[in-house]
């Protein structure tokens, strides 16, 4: 009798008998590596889960602490810091008015004193700097105090106040440093004054403050007998800042330095 295979029919594979060993089975090396990776991942995940389970109180505590700090910061800014900033700014208005009148030359000494000590039931710069420490107004009060002290001849107090002033403003920070130099100059401490003038000149090399403090540095150097340094500072003003007010009499100063 003839035999035939039906279409699509496959001869069944022989079953492994009981005597076949594991070594007789061929395992794809690639599949084995992949399985190993997944086993490692499973083990790592399991260890992570165990660690989280053991330390969940600590983790929740850290998360809660971070949330508390964040909420506390927002509440502090909104309900404490901002109202304090506004109060300090309002408190300083009267002192600023007195300071500006003094700058304009109206009974300047007495007005500078009023700006420092306060008037019309409002604090002066000294109290504002103390009571509103940490605010922008409190910081600015240090600058105002320093300039007011400088103008009434209290140079030690001027230096102390100006050294407490911190500013990211390029011009105002430079002016504060230069004012400290002026106070040292008035105290007959030219070395310290010169250091401040050079620092102020170098901190921001703009057309306004650099020639201003180069001139002061040159004049101080000249007074100290350092003609070479004075000539260097005066020459820079002449060559680089010829249109500045400081250049108006610079040729005469250069002549004194030669």
């Amino acid at each position: 009798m003839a035999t035939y295979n039906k279409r699509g029919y496959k001869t069944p594979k022989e079953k492994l008998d009981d005597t076949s060993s594991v070594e007789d089975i061929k395992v794809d090396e690639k599949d084995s590596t992949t399985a190993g990776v997944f086993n490692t991942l499973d083990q790592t995940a399991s260890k992570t889960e165990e660690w989280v389970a053991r330390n969940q109180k600590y983790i929740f505590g850290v998360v809660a602490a971070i949330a508390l700090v964040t909420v506390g910061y927002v509440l502090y800014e909104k309900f404490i810091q901002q109202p304090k900033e506004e109060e300090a700014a309002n408190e300083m208005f009267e002192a600023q008015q007195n300071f500006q009148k003094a700058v304009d030359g109206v009974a300047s000494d007495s007005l500078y004193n009023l700006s420092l000590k306060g008037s019309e039931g409002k604090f002066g710069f000294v109290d504002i700097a103390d009571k509103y420490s940490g605010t922008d107004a409190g910081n600015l009060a240090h600058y105002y105090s320093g300039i007011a002290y400088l103008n009434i001849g209290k140079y030690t107090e001027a230096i102390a106040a100006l050294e407490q002033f911190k500013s990211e403003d390029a011009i105002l920070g430079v002016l504060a440093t230069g004012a400290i130099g002026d106070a040292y100059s008035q105290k007959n401490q030219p070395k310290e004054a010169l250091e401040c003038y050079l620092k102020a000149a170098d901190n921001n090399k703009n057309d306004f403050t650099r020639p201003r403090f180069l001139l002061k540095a040159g004049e101080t150097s000249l007074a100290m007998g350092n003609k070479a340094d004075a000539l260097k500072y005066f020459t820079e003003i002449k060559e680089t800042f010829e249109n500045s007010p400081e250049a108006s009499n610079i040729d005469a100063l250069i002549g004194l330095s030669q």
Side-chain angles (χ1 to χ4, degrees):
M1 176 185 284
T3 60
Y4 63 92
N5 290 333
K6 292 181 180 179
R7 181 177 296 177
Y9 176 82
K10 295 182 180 179
T11 304
K13 295 180 180 178
E14 293 183 4
K15 294 182 179 179
L16 292 172
D17 57 31
D18 294 338
T19 60
S20 298
S21 64
V22 176
E23 287 77 6
D24 294 331
I25 302 174
K26 292 184 179 180
V27 179
D28 191 318
E29 185 178 347
K30 179 180 179 182
D31 293 340
S32 176
T33 303
T34 303
V37 170
F38 279 110
N39 286 335
T40 301
L41 291 174
D42 287 342
Q43 292 173 5
T44 302
S46 178
K47 290 179 180 178
T48 301
E49 290 172 358
E50 292 175 3
W51 185 88
V52 171
R54 289 197 308 270
N55 297 278
Q56 59 181 337
K57 289 184 178 180
Y58 171 77
I59 294 171
F60 291 151
V62 171
V63 172
I66 293 173
L68 184 62
V69 169
T70 302
V71 172
Y73 175 78
V74 172
L75 292 175
Y76 174 81
E77 283 291 313
K78 183 174 182 179
F79 295 106
I80 297 178
Q81 187 65 17
Q82 289 181 8
K84 191 177 181 181
E85 290 280 2
E86 293 175 3
E87 183 180 338
N90 291 333
E91 194 70 43
M92 196 162 68
F93 179 77
E94 185 67 26
Q96 287 176 313
Q97 292 297 304
N98 287 327
F99 182 91
Q100 188 57 52
K101 289 177 183 177
V103 171
D104 293 338
V106 182
S108 58
D109 281 1
S110 60
L111 285 169
Y112 277 128
N113 275 303
L114 286 177
S115 73
L116 287 165
K117 298 176 181 178
S119 63
E120 303 296 328
K122 296 291 186 180
F123 290 140
F125 294 130
V126 174
D127 285 331
I128 292 169
D130 177 46
K131 298 181 183 298
Y132 295 99
S133 176
T135 66
D136 292 339
N139 180 50
L140 190 58
H142 287 303
Y143 177 80
Y144 277 117
S145 296
I147 300 302
Y149 279 131
L150 183 62
N151 279 280
I152 61 176
K154 294 187 176 182
Y155 306 120
T156 300
E157 291 87 343
I159 293 169
L162 289 167
E163 285 181 340
Q164 293 182 74
F165 173 65
K166 308 298 179 185
S167 177
E168 295 181 359
D169 182 87
I171 301 298
L172 203 56
V174 169
L175 292 176
T177 301
I180 294 174
D182 290 340
Y184 275 124
S185 181
Q186 292 295 328
K187 285 167 63 70
N188 196 28
Q189 295 179 238
K191 181 180 178 181
E192 290 80 0
L194 179 59
E195 290 176 356
C196 290
Y197 292 146
L198 291 175
K199 182 179 178 181
D202 290 338
N203 275 356
N204 193 313
K205 298 182 180 182
N206 59 75
D207 292 346
F208 169 59
T209 59
R210 184 162 176 80
R212 173 188 178 95
F213 293 113
L214 280 176
L215 179 63
K216 288 177 180 285
E219 291 172 337
T220 304
S221 296
L222 191 60
M224 294 171 65
N226 299 329
K227 289 188 174 183
D229 287 342
L231 180 61
K232 179 175 65 175
Y233 305 139
F234 294 147
T235 300
E236 182 178 343
I237 294 173
K238 179 179 176 63
E239 294 179 350
T240 308
F241 304 103
E242 67 275 8
N243 295 321
S244 68
E246 290 76 16
S248 60
N249 194 40
I250 204 66
D251 287 333
L253 292 170
I254 288 175
L256 291 173
S257 305
Q258 293 174 333

